[in-house]
Amino acid sequence: LCSRVAWLRHGQIVEEGPTAAVIRSYLSSVQDERLMANPTSGALTTPDLDILAVTFHDSAGREVERPSSGEPVVIRIAYFARRRLERPGFSIGISEGGAHAFTIASMVVDDEACRPDAIEGEGVVECRFEDLAVQPRSYELWCSVRTGNDFSDYIPWQRLRMFSVDGSVGSGAQAVTSSMTQAPVKFRHSWRVE
C-alpha cells in the first residue's frame, strides 16, 4: 500500500500526507457533510414542554460551539414547562447518526435522586460529562423526557441537534469509535436542575 496519498475534490487537492491521516480526514468530512445536511437548533415544541435551546459549555462555564475531546463538557437544555410537570426524567444520548446512541445519560436509569420533584415555567437542566472521550468528528444529540410514572413521554426520543468535537485523543487514551457502537458506553456524568 501507499504510505502517502492525496485527497482530491473537484480536481483540487484538499489534503496530502500520510495515508491513515488523509483517509481519516476524508471519512470525517464525508460524515460531517452527511450529518450537517440536516442540523436542528435544539428548539422543540410539545403540548406540555418546550425545549428552548441546547448549548455546550466547557469546564469554566463558557459556551462552546465545538466541545474538546477528552475534556469535561456540560450540556445545557433550556426548557419551558407549560404547566407543573411532576418528576420528569430527562435522558440524553450521543449518536454517530441515527437513534441508536452509543452513550446515554438518563435521570430515569441513573438515580432517582437526580430527578426534580417538579418543573414549571422556564428552567435549565444540565448534564456534565467529566471526560467526553470521543473521536473528533460530528455527532447527534438525542433527548427524551419521561413522565413521572415512566409510562409515557413529555418528549419522545428524538434528535435535538448536531455538534462537532474538536481536538485529538492523546496517545494511550481510549476513545469511542464506530466499532464500539453495538452496546452503550458509559461516561461519568452528573445532573443538575436550575
Side-chain angles (χ1 to χ4, degrees):
L1 295 176
C2 300
S3 62
R4 293 184 60 79
V5 296
W7 165 21
L8 302 174
R9 177 182 283 158
H10 306 295
Q12 300 293 314
I13 294 176
V14 174
E15 186 173 338
E16 182 179 1
T19 303
V22 174
I23 289 173
R24 190 171 27 257
S25 293
Y26 169 76
L27 292 175
S28 179
S29 173
V30 168
Q31 186 199 32
D32 286 355
E33 288 174 13
R34 181 181 65 85
L35 294 177
M36 298 308 262
N38 187 22
T40 57
S41 66
L44 174 71
T45 300
T46 68
D48 294 315
L49 181 64
D50 294 348
I51 301 297
L52 304 175
V54 179
T55 55
F56 295 85
H57 301 262
D58 63 16
S59 59
R62 293 181 299 261
E63 186 173 341
V64 295
E65 190 59 35
R66 298 171 69 104
S68 296
S69 181
E71 298 292 326
V73 64
V74 175
I75 299 170
R76 291 179 56 108
I77 300 172
Y79 65 82
F80 177 76
R82 297 182 189 288
R83 61 180 179 82
R84 183 177 170 87
L85 304 178
E86 304 288 333
R87 307 265 315 134
F90 286 77
S91 297
I92 59 172
I94 299 173
S95 163
E96 291 182 299
H100 302 288
F102 61 80
T103 191
I104 296 174
S106 173
M107 289 179 174
V108 176
V109 175
D110 296 339
D111 181 3
E112 281 295 311
C114 67
R115 288 176 90 158
D117 290 332
I119 59 172
E120 189 172 12
E122 285 193 31
V124 173
V125 171
E126 291 184 349
C127 184
R128 177 186 172 94
F129 287 95
E130 296 304 324
D131 178 2
L132 193 61
V134 296
Q135 295 289 343
R137 59 186 295 176
S138 294
Y139 296 95
E140 296 178 348
L141 182 71
W142 287 69
C143 178
S144 71
V145 183
R146 302 289 289 173
T147 60
N149 63 18
D150 293 333
F151 292 123
S152 60
D153 295 312
Y154 293 121
I155 296 178
W157 188 247
Q158 60 189 287
R159 184 177 79 180
L160 289 184
R161 66 168 289 177
M162 306 295 307
F163 70 101
S164 294
V165 173
D166 277 341
S168 63
V169 179
S171 64
Q174 295 181 344
V176 173
T177 64
S178 59
S179 64
M180 297 174 67
T181 60
Q182 299 304 314
V185 176
K186 186 78 167 174
F187 290 115
R188 282 186 355 184
H189 63 275
S190 57
W191 291 94
R192 186 169 78 98
V193 180
E194 294 178 7

